[in-house]
């Protein structure tokens, strides 16, 4: 296996295990075993668990941002783009692969890793705020509404897992979009 | 220490440790040490970790429901009661003591314990749906809006922890209440 391939394979595997079990509960040894790469590759590419976690969570954040920007950066009117983002299909019962890390003490206690998670949400809030500003809201109100929109997705995931009902997320989105689109011109 | 007191002390201590570290990361031994009760009391009252967790998470749920019902079951108009519930001060950076359990695999994998968490959210959704029905919404729309309202609180906690900014929760609430109260008569 080439060096580049081994590194990618380790990152892919870590992304899967972190999403399923959390960072705190996943050892580098478990990632190594599930990845099928040689032990030397792990320590060569990622001397510490922190290094592996920053790379894997960073890759998850990049994927998620690319998908979000696809919805939020289109040519449609601003509120329509936000609605597209909110209504995108999501694996509700799995939880948000990034939001879940906020309950993982191993992530929150590692400043460098926490920064990766923080950057994701700050970036999304910025783009959502920009969309609501474009829709005509003043700065403060646009920021508040951006927080509400992102909270709907994150809270919808929590409700879906809590009630073991994937429709809890879509219900929360429908409830919010109903309020949003009765007021805004699309 | 009397038997009743030892039991309460174990439950109180477990509630604190579960809220701070999660159920999966907290051993009965750690609860025992922090509680100051004798080892015999622990095994007498709670033969297994499951028993202790169900009692402690159940007590947290009872406390939280009592507080929520205080806001949601008053004499004010229905939307005003929901707004009071949403705007109540919360320790945003600590996360929701119950919502956080949805990311704790030890809770989600234990059916009896998960049922305690599920019951909390189902109960809150029921009372919120009732309030929006009282405000004049048809059943489906009332249910969707109830999901949105509860998602705002749960998602606001996630955003606050993710950005390490307690105002992220209050901003999400402000954004949602702004949409809610421009449409509804209070």
């Amino acid at each position: 296996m080439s060096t580049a391939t081994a590194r990618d394979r380790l990152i892919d595997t870590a992304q899967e295990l972190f999403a399923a079990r959390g960072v705190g509960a996943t050892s580098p040894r478990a990632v190594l075993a599930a990845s099928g790469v040689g032990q030397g590759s792990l320590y060569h590419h990622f001397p510490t668990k922190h290094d592996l976690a920053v790379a894997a969570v960073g890759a998850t954040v990049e994927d998620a941002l690319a998908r979000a920007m696809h919805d939020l950066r289109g040519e449609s009117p601003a509120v329509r783009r936000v609605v597209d983002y909110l209504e995108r299909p999501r694996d509700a019962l799995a939880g948000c692969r990034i939001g879940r890390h906020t309950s993982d003490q191993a992530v929150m206690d590692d400043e460098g890793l926490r920064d990766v998670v923080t950057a994701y949400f700050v970036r999304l809030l910025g783009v959502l705020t920009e969309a609501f500003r474009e829709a005509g809201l003043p700065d403060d109100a646009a920021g508040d509404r951006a927080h509400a929109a992102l909270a709907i997705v994150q809270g919808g995931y929590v409700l879906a897992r809590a009630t073991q009902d994937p429709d809890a997320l879509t219900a929360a989105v429908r409830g919010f979009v109903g309020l949003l689109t009765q007021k805004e011109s699309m």
Side-chain angles (χ1 to χ4, degrees), chain A residues 22 36-37 42 46 51 61 71 95-96 98 102 104 136 154 158 170 172-173 184:
Chain A
V37 311
L42 175 63
F46 306 108
D51 299 321
V61 163
D71 292 327
C96 172
I98 302 158
T102 62
D104 189 336
Q154 292 298 317
V158 172
T170 45
V173 167
E184 307 288 338

Side-chain angles (χ1 to χ4, degrees), chain A residues 1 13 15 34 40 46-47 49 62-63 65 73 75 88 109 112 118 122 141 144 148 154 165-167 169 171-172 186:
Chain A
M1 206 177 284
T13 308
Q15 286 183 276
F46 306 108
K49 178 174 176 181
E62 255 181 59
D63 294 350
L65 275 180
R73 280 280 170 83
E75 295 296 315
R88 185 215 303 156
D109 288 346
T118 302
V122 168
D144 288 349
Q154 292 298 317
D165 175 9
D167 192 48
L169 170 56
M186 301 281 289

Side-chain angles (χ1 to χ4, degrees), chain A residues 71-157:
Chain A
D71 292 327
L72 289 169
R73 280 280 170 83
E75 295 296 315
S76 332
V79 174
R80 179 73 256 168
R81 301 201 304 271
V82 174
V83 171
D84 286 345
Y85 167 72
L86 293 173
E87 291 182 342
R88 185 215 303 156
R90 292 180 166 86
D91 185 359
L93 293 185
C96 172
R97 291 165 75 103
I98 302 158
R100 284 187 66 184
H101 292 320
T102 62
S103 294
D104 189 336
Q105 213 53 46
V107 174
M108 299 308 280
D109 288 346
D110 178 332
E111 200 179 325
L113 193 50
R114 202 180 64 207
D115 284 350
V116 175
V117 173
T118 302
Y120 171 69
F121 287 100
V122 168
R123 182 98 177 84
L124 274 184
L125 286 170
V127 178
L128 286 163
T129 300
E130 192 46 56
F132 286 121
R133 232 188 251 127
E134 194 182 318
L137 287 189
D139 287 4
D140 281 3
D144 288 349
R145 198 167 293 180
H147 278 78
L150 199 48
I152 285 291
V153 174
Q154 292 298 317
Y157 274 120

